[in-house]
């Protein structure tokens, strides 16, 4: 952040200016500039001694406020700040900060430091946001990083990646602002979303986040990704089941083989996984999952059993991850499948489950609304006048293709259709 200083105060202000310069030089986040157009903060040190100096300060303040770059903050300090009537035109401007303390150096630096912290948090939040469309109607937000499980196919924990959650109040406030600006669908994700908050509050907080977001009238739908059976807890299950805003839940499966689940160190068996899936489907939630292919000792029977389970349960496979050995994890102790065999297993799963996804979506079109992008899919916005607009294609998944100037308010619903194997979209 860059600071420009205008000194029009008397000699009594010099010691404070020297302290300010010293503080800025010691702060790696702050730098000086003599270019008004580059400055993020402009510190204007005023004088209130005689009429000529007061007039000069006021004229320059108006000019500086007019000429500074968008988003910059004008900070007014010095004797003139104690004359409220003279500065009355500056009090209501949010881009102006008036510090009235006689010894203004401490509150000034604290203000700048605090603003930098808030700007840093804002940047971090923006970096965690994936905007699905140019109009921001749908976003995905990564609420946490890291995982404390020790699955033998994942290097996250073995590579010292601890759980780090976005502070709750900050996250909720940020998402609420997006909703008020027009975001209608929010997808919550992470490395293991079930553990959200456990590092900050010594307890998981995902259920509370879902509850509070569901109270926002402007929000239409919530999708919750990257949940694990091992870390599921009663409050979260209840919230997922009973929140009308939660439309989609993604619970990681990897495989329906109990033998492989044990080797993977997943911490659950298929019966435990199926218990939660049954509860969520009874509550009308759409279930998605992620599979792994080519895990050491995987057989054709394991693949077939997994495929049949997903078909029977009508679970959409969002992604198939092919196993890759890594020196970070103990799975290199297992006998590896040849690369050719792994590729064959992956292709076999994709061919079988793409058709399964196709059939599931064909039942939902015109009945349910899908807001989350799955695989190579196409989607349509349905507008109040009955017209529709295609948004997605295989080669351009997250870009808005032809919305024109249509706004969120005109969108009646979003319908998901699939385009696997070159098949066209269904009629709406």
């Amino acid at each position: 952040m860059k600071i420009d200083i205008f000194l029009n105060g008397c000699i009594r202000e010099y010691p404070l200016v020297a302290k300010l310069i010293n503080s800025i030089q010691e702060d790696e986040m702050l730098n000086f500039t003599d270019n008004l157009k580059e400055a993020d903060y402009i510190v204007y040190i005023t004088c209130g001694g005689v009429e000529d100096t007061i007039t000069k300060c006021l004229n320059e303040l108006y000019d500086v406020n007019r000429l500074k770059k968008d988003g910059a903050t004008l900070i007014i300090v010095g004797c003139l700040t104690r004359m409220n009537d003279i500065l009355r035109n500056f009090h209501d401007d949010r881009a102006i900060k008036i510090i009235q303390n006689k010894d203004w150096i401490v509150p000034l630096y604290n203000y700048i430091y605090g603003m930098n912290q808030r700007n840093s948090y804002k940047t971090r939040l923006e970096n965690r946001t994936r905007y699905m469309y140019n109009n921001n109607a749908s976003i995905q937000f990564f609420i946490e990083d890291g995982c404390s499980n020790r699955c033998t196919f994942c290097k996250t924990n073995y590579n010292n990646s601890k759980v780090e959650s976005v502070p709750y109040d900050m996250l909720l406030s940020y998402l609420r602002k997006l909703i008020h600006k027009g975001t209608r669908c929010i997808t919550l994700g992470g490395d293991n979303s079930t553990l959200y908050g456990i590092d900050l509050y010594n307890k998981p907080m995902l259920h509370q986040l879902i509850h509070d977001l569901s109270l926002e009238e402007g929000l239409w739908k919530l999708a919750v990704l990257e949940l694990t059976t091992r870390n599921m807890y009663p409050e979260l299950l209840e919230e997922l089941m009973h929140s009308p805003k939660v439309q989609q839940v993604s619970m990681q499966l990897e495989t329906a083989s109990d033998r492989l689940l044990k080797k993977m160190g997943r911490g659950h068996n298929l019966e435990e996984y199926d218990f939660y899936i049954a509860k969520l489907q009874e509550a009308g939630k759409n279930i998605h999952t992620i599979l792994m292919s080519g895990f050491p000792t995987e057989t054709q029977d394991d693949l077939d059993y997994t495929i049949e389970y997903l078909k029977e349960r009508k679970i959409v496979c969002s992604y198939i991850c092919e196993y890759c050995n890594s020196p970070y994890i103990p799975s290199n102790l297992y006998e590896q499948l040849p690369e050719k065999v792994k590729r064959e297993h992956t292709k076999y799963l994709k061919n079988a489950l793409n058709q399964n996804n196709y059939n599931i979506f064909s039942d939902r079109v015109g009945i349910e609304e899908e807001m989350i992008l799955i695989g190579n899919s196409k989607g349509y916005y349905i507008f109040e006048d009955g017209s529709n607009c295609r948004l997605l294609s295989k080669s351009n998944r997250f870009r808005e293709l032809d919305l024109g100037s249509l706004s969120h308010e005109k969108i009646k619903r979003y319908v998901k259709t699939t385009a696997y194997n070159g098949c066209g979209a269904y009629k709406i």
Side-chain angles (χ1 to χ4, degrees):
M1 307 297 285
K2 295 183 178 181
I3 295 180
D4 194 1
I5 299 177
F6 285 77
L7 176 55
N8 278 324
C10 64
I11 193 171
R12 287 178 297 180
E13 306 290 354
Y14 287 8
L16 295 178
V17 174
K19 286 184 180 180
L20 174 62
I21 293 173
N22 185 58
S23 299
I24 293 173
Q25 288 174 338
E26 293 178 353
D27 194 328
E28 295 181 355
M29 298 176 62
L30 301 176
N31 296 291
F32 286 111
T33 181
D34 57 3
N35 188 336
L36 180 63
K37 291 291 187 179
E38 292 181 354
D40 299 293
Y41 300 105
I42 299 109
V43 180
Y44 192 100
I45 304 165
T46 62
C47 177
V50 295
E51 184 176 352
D52 288 347
T53 58
I54 292 175
T55 302
K56 177 186 177 183
C57 287
L58 284 175
N59 289 336
E60 284 193 354
L61 281 171
Y62 282 114
D63 289 338
V64 169
N65 190 41
R66 177 174 55 85
L67 296 173
K68 65 182 175 63
K69 74 174 185 179
D70 291 341
T73 302
L74 171 59
I75 306 174
I76 306 174
V77 299
C79 293
L80 203 61
T81 62
R82 294 191 288 274
M83 304 178 185
N84 288 323
D85 290 341
I86 292 178
L87 293 180
R88 61 182 179 275
N89 292 334
F90 294 96
H91 280 279
D92 294 331
D93 193 326
R94 293 185 178 181
I96 296 177
K97 173 69 176 178
I98 299 177
I99 298 178
Q100 294 180 312
N101 299 52
K102 185 175 181 180
D103 187 358
W104 47 261
I105 182 66
V106 173
L108 169 64
Y109 185 77
N110 288 342
Y111 171 77
I112 294 176
Y113 180 78
M115 289 300 295
N116 283 347
Q117 288 293 98
R118 285 191 285 275
N119 289 335
S120 174
Y121 287 140
K122 181 180 179 181
T123 301
R124 286 166 52 192
L125 293 173
E126 285 290 338
N127 290 340
R128 287 177 169 271
T129 308
R130 176 184 296 170
Y131 294 96
M132 299 300 197
Y133 314 112
N134 292 344
N135 59 8
N136 303 341
S138 177
I139 68 159
Q140 184 173 358
F141 190 91
F142 298 90
I143 60 178
E144 63 85 39
D145 298 306
C147 179
S148 59
N149 299 342
R150 298 181 73 86
C151 303
T152 60
F153 59 79
C154 180
K155 69 180 182 180
T156 297
N157 187 262
Y158 296 93
N159 202 23
N160 299 319
S161 179
K162 62 181 181 180
V163 177
E164 295 182 342
S165 305
V166 180
Y168 186 84
D169 292 339
M170 183 192 307
L171 171 56
L172 185 60
S173 175
Y174 175 72
L175 293 180
R176 279 174 170 167
K177 288 179 181 178
L178 290 182
I179 293 170
H180 296 161
K181 290 180 180 179
T183 296
R184 296 293 174 256
C185 173
I186 295 177
T187 302
L188 303 175
D191 288 333
N192 183 351
S193 301
T194 334
L195 296 176
Y196 169 70
I198 202 165
D199 56 314
L200 298 176
Y201 312 106
N202 295 319
K203 61 180 181 179
M205 292 287 290
L206 181 56
H207 67 290
Q208 189 63 48
L209 178 62
I210 293 172
H211 176 79
D212 288 342
L213 285 177
S214 297
L215 297 177
E216 296 296 315
E217 293 184 2
L219 181 66
W220 294 353
K221 298 182 184 302
L222 268 175
V224 187
L225 309 185
E226 303 299 337
L227 300 180
T228 58
T229 302
R230 175 193 293 190
N231 306 114
M232 182 62 72
Y233 55 97
E235 294 87 350
L236 177 56
L237 179 61
E238 287 295 310
E239 199 61 48
L240 291 170
M241 291 173 58
H242 297 121
S243 170
K245 300 290 179 72
V246 175
Q247 296 291 308
Q248 178 180 315
V249 178
S250 179
M251 287 194 62
Q252 299 171 344
L253 175 61
E254 270 71 49
T255 178
S257 166
D258 282 335
R259 179 183 63 84
L260 288 182
L261 286 173
K262 186 175 181 180
K263 281 184 173 292
M264 291 177 178
R266 293 297 283 154
H268 70 267
N269 56 34
L270 185 63
E271 182 179 359
E272 293 168 328
Y273 179 89
D274 192 67
F275 169 80
Y276 293 114
I277 295 304
K279 289 282 188 182
L280 292 168
Q281 287 186 328
E282 287 173 7
K285 310 304 178 182
N286 298 326
I287 306 300
H288 294 233
T289 196
I290 296 174
L291 295 181
M292 174 168 286
S293 67
F295 191 78
T297 75
E298 181 181 76
T299 66
Q300 188 68 42
D301 289 341
D302 295 327
L303 299 178
D304 290 337
Y305 189 62
T306 300
I307 292 167
E308 288 305 314
Y309 175 73
L310 264 63
K311 286 183 178 179
E312 180 182 348
R313 269 295 180 197
K314 294 186 177 181
I315 298 174
V316 172
C317 177
S318 307
Y319 188 74
I320 297 173
C321 177
E322 190 173 284
Y323 173 77
C324 180
N325 189 32
S326 169
Y328 290 103
I329 56 180
S331 55
N332 56 8
L333 300 175
Y334 298 128
E335 180 183 352
Q336 304 297 305
L337 293 177
E339 289 297 320
K340 181 179 179 181
V341 175
K342 287 199 294 186
R343 288 195 297 270
E344 289 174 350
H345 284 197
T346 302
K347 184 176 181 181
Y348 184 79
L349 273 178
K350 284 184 176 179
N351 289 339
L353 294 174
N354 281 352
Q355 186 61 41
N356 182 51
N357 291 357
Y358 185 95
N359 293 334
I360 291 173
F361 281 124
S362 68
D363 293 336
R364 290 179 180 171
V365 171
I367 301 174
E368 299 177 4
E369 301 167 85
E370 285 289 329
M371 294 294 291
I372 308 306
L373 305 179
I374 301 301
N376 295 324
S377 56
K378 290 185 177 180
Y380 286 83
Y381 270 133
I382 308 302
F383 299 100
E384 295 290 355
D385 62 1
S387 61
N388 62 62
C389 175
R390 188 171 72 179
L391 292 184
L392 309 173
S393 69
K394 286 186 177 182
S395 61
N396 211 356
R397 290 179 59 195
F398 296 128
R399 292 195 179 276
E400 179 183 50
L401 298 183
D402 189 24
L403 263 184
S405 60
L406 294 169
S407 62
H408 305 304
E409 290 73 17
K410 295 182 180 179
I411 297 172
K412 185 177 181 182
R413 69 180 186 275
Y414 174 82
V415 176
K416 185 61 157 305
T417 62
T418 58
Y420 292 111
N421 303 321
C423 299
Y426 292 98
K427 293 181 178 179
I428 304 300

